[in-house]
Amino acid sequence: MTATTAARIEVRPAEGGVALAVAGRLDAASAARLWPEAMGAARQGPVTALDLTALEGLDSAGAVLLLKAAPDAEARGASATVAAELERTRKALATVPPPPPPPPFRPVSDIGRATVHRARASVAGIVFLGETIVTIARVLARPRLLRWSDLLRHLDEVGTRAFPLTLLLGFLIGVILAYQSSIPLRRFGAEVFVPNLVGISLLRELGPLLAGVVLAGRTGSAFAAELGTMTVNEEVDALRIMGIDPLAMLVMPRLVAATLVMPVLALLMNLAGLAGMTLIMSTLGYPWAAVESQLQQWLSLQDLIGGLFKAACFGMAIAAIGCRAGLSAGRGPRAVGDAATAAVVGGIVAIVAMDGVFAVLFFRLGI
Amino acid sequence: MSATEPVIRAEGLAVAFNGRTIFKDVTFDVRRGEIFVILGGSGCGKSTLLKALIGLVPLAAGRAWLLGEELAAADDDARRALLRRIGVMWQSGALFGSMTLAENVELPIEEHTDLPRPAREALARAKLGLVGLGDATGRLPAEISGGMAKRAGIARAMALDPPLLFLDEPSAGLDPITSAGLDKLIRDIARDTGATFVVVTHELQSILAIGDRCIMLDKEAQGMIAEGDPRRLRDESTHPTVRAFFRREAA
């Protein structure tokens, strides 16, 4: 193999512009080094002549450099292989249309595009909601449409496997709430009311809400990823072609499982939180009897049932949003990730928004 | 390495998974500038041999040299330098779904060279233009057909002008016209660039259209059963499996 020399460029004045003389071997490394010099020469004036007599060879990166610096120059002295590489790259670049010009008023077009996209997604969401309600009605009329084995599997995955995490989070939240609320209440000598505060917060609000966050993060994303992968792999299309309703087969078991399991998760969250609070109260010098007395006096069954009802609604919303995100996944591997993200974000936003509606509703109803 | 030295030397290669031998005693040379085909029936270990050659599958026995370097014995720097000089087109294309075709081709250029962005973009467009995808540079892999994905895979494999290219089942799953177009593209690139191609395929038309030399693997024999010009093997081989393969007969 013959030794090659590193490429160099010489810029000479020429009639009507400048001339470039290139020597050595113009490979990717040389092209990277000489790119600023070559483009600088091209800016001085049009490159009207290209002397390649001393050019020992070039690869496609070198060819791109010459064609960018001197697109219209006549190449002189090129060897057959250099001329062939230049011609091949020139032809290849000629098949590539120039990039489209950026749209005018970019922010306006972006806002417009995002608005149209959001509107379409909203319409699709409403259609999905309608189809889901119709499917629920069909399943209620013909319960055998529901795949019971799938329901049991989802009850296990959504419910029993989430119990340890729910208990841990609930206990920690109870401990934190008890400690944090004891500090201001102690200043007023009202530390004994910590169980009232923590109990009401947990049963009415934090229990269902935090169980919902656990469900959205753990299960909503799993639903979206599983159904998204099935959509990407055209399994959902295969179901439709076989005359099987994907909503009945795929969505219903998940929806029912999440709806049934969420009150249980919220209840566990409540109990674990109360246990954590009781522990802290005992360290502050309040025996279990005092805590129990406060809870019995101030908490009602209505608080518990209201919270569990909210939890069931949250479960249904999270499952529906997760399933919808999966079934509407696009194509390609990125689609599954996008669907999982949409499920978690959509699920959490939905339960907080629903919680606001419930707060107003319960206030008006005096619950 | 000298001009006459083989681009690939494989000596007694063997691969086994969980004690199950896929192939053994596979020995062959690939000469500079030729299109070398690894052929055989389904499950005989063609793609595994390709992966063993490029170091993705560990060898149970034997040694392999690519461009004069033994990949298994190379340190990190030598390995990186060697990998820069080979290109691989995967069976599925293996294009990155979140990147456009141009960005896919630009990725190895950005990683291995100091070319400025305009140069990288122009080079990526040139490579895509070379494989007939000049008008699809801005598309995502999910938006193109299987044949286009294979072409884009070839463009990405060629991004750094490697002297050695591996193509895994380039025409599998394509219609005859697209497949023939891809065969012609491979032939043209090999002729124009002088690069050496190692092609794994079981498509008979492709083997005969593009292959200068080939080896044939067999599942039953757990290794090579033939080597040579595919057209001569078709016409002259007396091995029953080779004859059955080329005559499309049930074994």
Side-chain angles (χ1 to χ4, degrees), chain B residues 17-135:
Chain B
F17 293 132
N18 300 323
R20 188 172 64 87
T21 300
I22 306 298
F23 55 77
K24 60 188 176 191
D25 299 328
V26 173
T27 299
F28 61 90
D29 285 349
V30 179
R31 301 167 195 153
R32 182 181 297 275
E34 73 177 353
I35 299 180
F36 186 85
V37 179
I38 300 170
L39 60 94
S42 299
C44 68
K46 302 184 297 292
S47 295
T48 306
L49 175 58
L50 185 149
K51 287 177 182 169
L53 286 172
I54 59 178
L56 287 180
V57 168
L59 289 170
R63 299 174 73 184
W65 290 263
L66 305 182
L67 302 164
E69 293 266 356
E70 189 177 7
L71 195 59
D75 61 26
D76 278 354
D77 289 343
R79 185 183 171 81
R80 190 174 155 81
L82 180 55
L83 291 177
R84 187 193 184 289
R85 298 175 66 209
I86 66 172
V88 182
M89 188 218 84
W90 304 94
Q91 190 169 349
S92 61
L95 301 169
F96 302 114
S98 58
M99 298 178 179
T100 63
L101 300 192
E103 287 166 346
N104 263 282
V105 178
E106 212 181 311
L107 185 67
I109 303 171
E110 186 179 4
E111 180 65 25
H112 288 287
T113 74
D114 297 323
L115 287 168
R117 190 185 177 93
R120 295 197 305 265
E121 288 173 350
L123 187 52
R125 289 205 304 274
K127 295 296 176 187
L128 286 165
L130 197 65
V131 297
L133 292 176
D135 55 354

Side-chain angles (χ1 to χ4, degrees), chain B residues 147-240:
Chain B
M148 291 167 83
K150 303 254 186 189
R151 284 171 177 267
I154 293 177
R156 191 177 66 181
M158 292 182 356
L160 296 165
D161 292 332
L164 176 57
L165 282 130
F166 293 89
L167 310 183
D168 191 5
E169 303 276 12
S171 45
L174 300 181
D175 67 81
I177 297 172
T178 308
S179 177
L182 205 60
D183 290 343
K184 182 177 180 308
L185 175 70
I186 294 166
R187 263 267 166 240
D188 289 347
I189 293 170
R191 184 196 60 221
D192 292 345
T193 64
T196 306
F197 281 73
V198 176
V199 182
V200 168
T201 184
H202 56 214
E203 300 285 333
L204 205 50
Q205 294 296 334
S206 289
I207 294 164
L208 297 171
I210 64 174
D212 293 318
R213 280 193 321 121
C214 69
I215 58 168
M216 183 169 177
L217 301 183
D218 182 54
K219 196 175 179 179
E220 299 298 319
Q222 294 185 335
M224 271 171 62
I225 54 169
E227 181 179 8
D229 182 331
R231 286 155 291 274
R232 291 191 65 178
L233 288 179
R234 176 193 60 188
D235 298 335
E236 298 170 11
S237 177
T238 55
H239 193 292

Side-chain angles (χ1 to χ4, degrees), chain A residues 252-297:
Chain A
M252 277 305 119
R254 290 170 170 81
L255 201 70
V256 173
T259 309
L260 292 177
V261 152
M262 257 299 280
V264 181
L265 291 181
L267 187 64
L268 285 178
M269 185 76 79
N270 293 342
L271 292 174
L274 292 177
M277 177 269 295
T278 306
L279 178 74
I280 299 309
M281 290 304 288
S282 69
T283 63
L284 296 175
Y286 293 90
W288 160 242
V291 174
E292 186 192 14
S293 161
Q294 288 297 100
L295 289 175
Q296 278 190 346
Q297 200 176 338

Side-chain angles (χ1 to χ4, degrees), chain A residues 1 28-29 31-32 35-36 59-61 64 68 85 88-89 92-93 95-97 99 331-334, chain B residues 1 84 97-98 113-116 118-119 122-123 125-127 129-130 134-135 137 142 159 161 192-193:
Chain A
M1 192 179 281
W35 187 272
D59 63 10
S60 46
V64 163
K68 284 284 171 187
E85 178 64 50
R88 189 165 51 246
T89 308
L93 281 172
T95 66
V96 184
R331 294 175 65 189
R334 192 177 172 182
Chain B
M1 66 180 292
R84 187 193 184 289
S98 58
T113 74
D114 297 323
L115 287 168
L123 187 52
R125 289 205 304 274
K127 295 296 176 187
L130 197 65
D135 55 354
T137 55
D161 292 332
D192 292 345
T193 64

Side-chain angles (χ1 to χ4, degrees), chain A residues 174-237:
Chain A
V175 168
I176 293 164
L177 280 178
Y179 263 131
Q180 293 287 8
S181 54
S182 72
I183 298 166
L185 289 177
R186 179 182 291 169
R187 293 174 62 189
F188 302 105
E191 212 170 30
V192 72
F193 295 111
V194 166
N196 312 21
L197 184 76
V198 175
I200 290 173
S201 303
L202 275 172
L203 265 60
R204 293 182 68 98
E205 205 56 53
L206 289 176
L209 203 59
L210 289 173
V213 172
V214 169
L215 193 81
R218 193 180 164 279
T219 306
S221 58
F223 286 173
E226 196 179 352
L227 297 188
T229 306
M230 291 181 76
T231 305
V232 170
N233 291 340
E234 297 174 331
E235 292 170 44
V236 176
D237 289 341

